[in-house]
Amino acid sequence: RPQKEAKEAELVPLQKQLTDVRKVVEVAQTEADLLRQKTTQVANEIEEVKREHSQCTERLQAREQEAKEANQDKSERMKLVAEAKERLTAVVGESDILSKEVVATRTKAEEARAELEKEHNRGRLIKAVYEQSKAGKLRGVHGRL
């Protein structure tokens, strides 16, 4: 027994050292686990940031392309507007010219109609005078009038 107690007395400091070493190992393992978790979390966050950066880059490129197309459409439409304004100016000028021609033509037509009516009335007058001279009611009218 005394040997056993002596050996147990020797083991007590060793067991205490072993317990201290186990505590240190557990603390180190816990710290390692925490570091692994943080490393994994940071790696996941880095991947997420990379994905978001990639998406932002794609959206930026798409927006730049849309802006380029919008500028092209704008310049094309500006050209079309300028051409339309030129055509409008030309058409307005032609319209003014044609309006003046219409007025001149109507005036000539009215003059011609009036002249025709005047000739028609003169012709009826001459015809009436001629008929009256043939009937003997007018004296002094001889031959063609």
Side-chain angles (χ1 to χ4, degrees):
R1 260 200 192 261
Q3 279 182 338
K4 183 179 173 187
E5 288 179 6
K7 292 263 181 189
E8 284 180 0
E10 281 180 29
L11 283 177
V12 168
L14 290 175
Q15 283 180 342
K16 188 176 180 185
Q17 274 185 334
L18 181 64
T19 304
D20 289 342
V21 168
R22 283 186 181 158
K23 285 181 183 177
V24 170
V25 168
E26 283 181 14
V27 168
Q29 283 180 342
T30 304
E31 287 177 355
D33 287 343
L34 287 173
L35 285 175
R36 263 189 240 108
Q37 286 177 354
K38 282 186 178 182
T39 304
T40 305
Q41 182 181 1
V42 168
N44 290 341
E45 288 175 1
I46 289 172
E47 288 299 317
E48 180 65 24
V49 167
K50 284 181 181 179
R51 257 193 317 272
E52 288 177 3
H53 178 263
S54 173
Q55 290 173 352
C56 286
T57 303
E58 289 174 5
R59 283 195 307 253
L60 177 63
Q61 289 174 349
R63 296 269 163 71
E64 287 174 347
Q65 183 65 30
E66 289 173 3
K68 189 184 286 185
E69 290 172 2
N71 283 335
Q72 288 175 348
D73 288 347
K74 179 184 174 187
S75 63
E76 288 175 8
R77 289 191 174 124
M78 293 296 281
K79 287 178 186 177
L80 288 174
V81 166
E83 290 173 5
K85 284 182 180 178
E86 289 176 16
R87 280 186 285 170
L88 180 62
T89 303
V91 167
V92 166
E94 288 178 20
S95 174
D96 289 344
I97 292 170
L98 291 175
S99 294
K100 290 176 183 175
E101 287 180 9
V102 165
V103 168
T105 304
R106 283 185 181 156
T107 304
K108 286 181 183 178
E110 282 296 320
E111 289 174 358
R113 195 175 300 121
E115 188 66 31
L116 181 64
E117 194 174 313
K118 182 177 161 186
E119 280 295 318
H120 182 67
N121 287 340
R122 185 172 173 235
R124 282 194 322 203
L125 178 67
I126 292 174
K127 190 176 181 183
V129 168
Y130 185 68
E131 287 177 4
Q132 291 296 321
S133 73
K134 270 191 171 182
K137 293 184 181 178
L138 285 177
R139 298 187 185 257
V141 177
H142 303 289
R144 294 177 59 186
L145 294 176

